């Protein structure tokens, strides 16, 4: 028994020594994410203008939107990270309220918001993503699943990406793909609904309880959409290169194919060859926006970032976009982060945007009833836009400030003013807080 015990001890000792030798040859691998991080993002957005698509290119575009988003990034092990992104957006809109401008207490008017149920809506989104990094951190795979919904809209999406770093991590290439399957619960302008299918036409309650002025023989040739689905397929390619100690550049190519219902069902169109009909001050729609059921988009762009010194960095961006609806656009921006201290950074920025009009766009009463496709949505018009932003960032990698078990890592605040040359103007305030769980 004594000899057996000594043999067992010898074997165990040998295995332990071998294990120690193996452990001593292992290379230390830093975790992709050291600890769970929680981001809280919020924004307050307002806009106004005089070209509401809901009322055929005229009317108030006044809108207020408040968003809140929580992003939780959880390290599953050294190599894998699970991210949950949940967001909600609540808005009130003078424009969308006029999907049914006759449900309020005041006379209907395209420049006045209706006080009815269509005045506000809520958008919700939930996205889960998983990423895996190789041991040398030169290969990164990711996959995601997303779901979002509004009162009249539901979307589900899947996607994935692959990133490769080489040349001692000085060069990076990536590819990503996403598919979105969307379904409308189509809402049409309220005055057109009685003329769809077996509706009562002018015998419906809307017309028996209100007086039509102008052309009293209102009789639109209106049909609803046969299909309410839309699919989007997106493919993107990226290339990034550290060009020198101070200079980094990147290129990106994005391809998007869409098919299905690409028109917005509640956006009105007015024809120049049909006499106008009104209830109160609101012109009754001749039809709704009708656009092709396919669209192909191409965008190519690049970034160039230059490190001047410890205080200043210059970040530039340019993108060219084109699609088969006739839109061509140019986007250029510059941002100059200014590092005030180790913890505080200011970042002013400017962005310029210019686009041509879609082939199917025309102004209020610019279309003919014989046209095949038509829209008066000024998002598809020719315009230029200027955007000025100013932000401030606070970073504390040691997370000295705590809320319960959450250590505050960074705070970002930003104000943006946006102006188009077609009367639309907007302001947005955004705030972001990053916490780490101790």
């Amino acid at each position: 028994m004594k000899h057996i015990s000594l043999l067992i001890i010898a074997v165990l000792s040998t295995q332990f020594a071998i294990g120690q030798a193996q452990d001593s040859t292992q290379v230390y691998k830093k975790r992709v994410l050291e600890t769970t991080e929680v981001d809280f993002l919020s924004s307050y957005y307002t806009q106004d203008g005089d070209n509401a698509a809901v009322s055929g290119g005229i009317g108030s575009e006044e809108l207020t939107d408040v968003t809140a988003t929580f992003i939780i990034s959880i390290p599953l092990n050294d190599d894998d990270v699970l991210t949950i992104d949940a967001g909600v957006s609540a808005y009130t809109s003078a424009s969308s309220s006029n999907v049914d401008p006759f449900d309020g207490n005041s006379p209907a008017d395209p420049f006045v918001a209706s006080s009815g149920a269509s005045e506000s809506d809520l958008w919700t989104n939930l996205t889960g993503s998983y990423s895996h990094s190789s041991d040398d951190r030169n290969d990164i795979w990711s996959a995601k699943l997303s779901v979002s919904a509004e009162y009249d809209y539901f979307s589900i999406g899947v996607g994935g990406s692959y990133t490769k770093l080489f040349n001692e991590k000085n060069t990076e290439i990536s590819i990503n793909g996403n598919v979105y399957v969307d379904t409308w619960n189509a809402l049409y302008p309220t005055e057109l609904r009685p003329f769809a299918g077996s509706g009562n036409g002018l015998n419906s309650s809307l017309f028996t309880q209100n007086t039509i002025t102008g052309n009293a023989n209102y009789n639109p040739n209106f049909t609803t959409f046969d299909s309410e689905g839309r699919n989007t397929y997106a493919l993107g390619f990226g290339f990034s290169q550290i060009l020198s100690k101070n200079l980094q550049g990147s290129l990106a190519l994005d391809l998007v194919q869409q098919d299905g219902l690409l028109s917005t069902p509640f956006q009105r169109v007015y024809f120049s060859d049909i006499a106008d009909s009104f209830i109160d001050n609101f012109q009754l729609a001749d039809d709704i926006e009708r656009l092709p059921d396919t669209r192909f988009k191409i965008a190519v762009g690049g970034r160039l970032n230059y490190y001047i010194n410890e205080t200043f960095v210059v970040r530039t961006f340019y993108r060219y976009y084109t699609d088969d609806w006739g839109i061509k656009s140019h986007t250029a921006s510059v941002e100059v982060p200014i590092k005030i201290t180790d913890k505080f950074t200011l970042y002013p920025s400017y962005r310029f945007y210019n686009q041509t009009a879609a082939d199917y766009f025309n102004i209020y009463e610019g279309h003919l009833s014989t046209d095949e496709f038509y829209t008066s949505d000024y998002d598809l018009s020719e315009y230029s836009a200027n955007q000025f932003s100013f932000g401030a960032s606070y970073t504390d990698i040691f997370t000295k400030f705590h809320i319960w078990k959450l250590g505050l890592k960074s705070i970002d605040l930003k104000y943006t003013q946006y102006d188009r040359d077609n009367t639309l103007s907007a302001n947005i305030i955004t705030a972001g807080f990053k916490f780490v769980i101790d």
Side-chain angles (χ1 to χ4, degrees):
M1 289 295 295
K2 181 178 180 180
H3 293 294
I4 295 175
S5 300
L6 291 174
L7 180 60
I8 293 174
I9 292 172
V11 172
L12 292 176
S13 299
T14 302
Q15 290 179 338
F16 178 70
I18 293 173
Q20 281 188 316
Q22 290 175 337
D23 290 341
S24 66
T25 61
Q26 288 182 352
V27 177
Y28 171 72
K29 182 170 62 176
K30 185 178 180 180
R31 292 169 66 91
V32 175
L33 185 64
E34 292 294 335
T35 186
T36 298
E37 294 184 348
V38 179
D39 289 88
F40 172 68
L41 311 175
S42 64
S43 67
Y44 176 76
Y45 173 87
T46 62
Q47 72 168 46
D48 204 356
D50 300 322
N51 302 120
V54 174
S55 43
I58 58 172
S60 174
E61 295 178 88
E62 184 179 0
L63 181 146
T64 300
D65 180 87
V66 179
T67 66
T69 303
F70 283 95
I71 303 173
I72 303 176
S73 300
I74 306 168
L76 303 178
N77 51 49
D78 288 350
D79 305 322
D80 303 321
V81 177
L82 175 66
T83 302
I84 306 297
D85 182 336
V88 61
S89 174
Y91 71 85
T92 58
S93 167
S95 177
S96 65
S97 74
N98 284 326
V99 173
D100 185 356
F102 314 109
D103 62 352
N105 299 320
S106 303
D109 190 307
F111 289 94
V112 178
S114 170
S115 57
S118 57
E119 181 182 13
S120 60
D121 199 358
L122 189 70
W123 173 87
T124 57
N125 171 262
L126 180 64
T127 300
S129 60
Y130 165 83
S131 67
H132 171 78
S133 299
S134 62
D135 289 340
D136 59 8
R137 304 298 184 246
N138 287 332
D139 299 271
I140 305 169
W141 298 266
S142 72
K144 73 174 184 179
L145 173 67
S146 65
V147 177
S148 60
E150 277 185 90
Y151 176 75
D152 61 339
Y153 197 78
F154 179 80
S155 175
I156 185 168
V158 295
S161 68
Y162 171 68
T163 301
K164 175 70 175 179
L165 291 87
F166 51 96
N167 188 23
E168 296 183 344
K169 293 183 169 55
N170 289 318
T171 306
E172 176 182 312
I173 58 173
S174 63
I175 181 171
N176 66 84
N178 295 280
V179 177
Y180 298 94
V181 179
D182 310 331
T183 303
W184 289 89
N185 177 21
L187 299 178
Y188 300 100
T190 189
E191 69 271 27
L192 292 176
R193 299 172 197 174
F195 295 91
S198 57
N200 295 328
L202 291 177
N203 294 321
S204 69
S205 59
L206 172 65
F207 301 110
T208 58
Q209 295 174 12
N210 294 279
T211 300
I212 299 178
T213 59
N215 175 24
N217 297 317
Y218 179 63
N219 187 29
N221 183 21
F222 172 68
T223 58
T224 59
F225 291 110
D226 295 330
S227 173
E228 297 184 353
R230 174 171 69 188
N231 300 323
T232 301
Y233 310 93
L235 184 63
F237 302 91
F239 171 78
S240 177
Q241 177 67 48
I242 296 177
L243 302 170
S244 71
K245 183 175 67 175
N246 295 54
L247 187 64
Q248 180 186 27
S250 65
L251 297 171
L253 171 66
D254 293 294
L255 309 173
V256 177
Q257 175 67 46
Q258 293 181 293
D259 60 67
L261 179 52
L262 305 183
S263 308
T264 303
F266 51 75
Q267 294 187 169
R268 294 175 174 85
V269 171
Y270 299 110
F271 299 129
S272 59
D273 56 343
I274 293 181
D276 300 340
S277 302
F278 296 85
I279 291 179
D280 298 331
N281 299 319
F282 201 96
Q283 185 173 344
L284 305 180
D286 293 327
D287 200 359
I288 57 173
E289 172 183 88
R290 297 190 185 272
L291 294 167
D293 58 6
T294 63
R295 188 179 187 183
F296 182 63
K297 309 176 184 181
I298 302 175
V300 58
R303 297 181 182 274
L304 203 60
N305 300 334
Y306 185 73
Y307 174 85
I308 299 176
N309 52 41
E310 292 183 355
T311 303
F312 297 99
V313 176
V314 178
R315 299 171 179 167
T316 62
F317 170 76
Y318 172 77
R319 184 189 70 171
Y320 173 74
Y321 166 92
T322 184
D323 64 31
D324 58 0
W325 285 8
I327 292 180
K328 293 176 172 52
S329 74
H330 302 271
T331 305
S333 68
V334 59
E335 182 181 70
V336 184
I338 306 170
K339 192 171 184 179
I340 305 301
T341 69
D342 290 342
K343 293 184 178 181
F344 289 95
T345 302
L346 305 178
Y347 45 101
S349 64
Y350 169 73
R351 177 181 180 270
F352 174 78
Y353 179 81
N354 170 269
Q355 75 170 37
T356 61
D359 297 336
Y360 318 111
F361 172 82
N362 214 324
I363 61 173
Y364 162 75
E365 292 198 333
H367 291 287
L368 296 173
S369 60
T370 53
D371 293 341
E372 181 181 8
F373 301 114
Y374 33 80
T375 178
S376 293
D377 184 349
Y378 273 71
D379 286 345
L380 300 177
S381 71
E382 178 182 1
Y383 70 86
S384 296
N386 294 283
Q387 178 178 302
F388 297 90
S389 301
F390 185 83
S393 175
Y394 166 82
T395 303
D396 180 8
I397 61 174
F398 299 108
T399 63
K400 294 179 180 179
F401 180 78
H402 282 71
I403 300 176
W404 189 53
K405 293 184 179 181
L406 301 176
L408 180 61
K409 187 174 182 179
S410 66
I411 301 175
D412 289 280
L413 301 173
K414 190 174 185 179
Y415 169 75
T416 298
Q417 180 180 336
Y418 173 83
D419 292 289
R420 290 184 187 176
D421 59 5
N422 59 12
T423 78
L424 181 71
S425 62
N427 296 275
I428 182 170
I429 299 172
T430 59
F433 302 85
K434 181 184 288 290
F435 299 90
V436 295
I437 298 179
D438 294 340

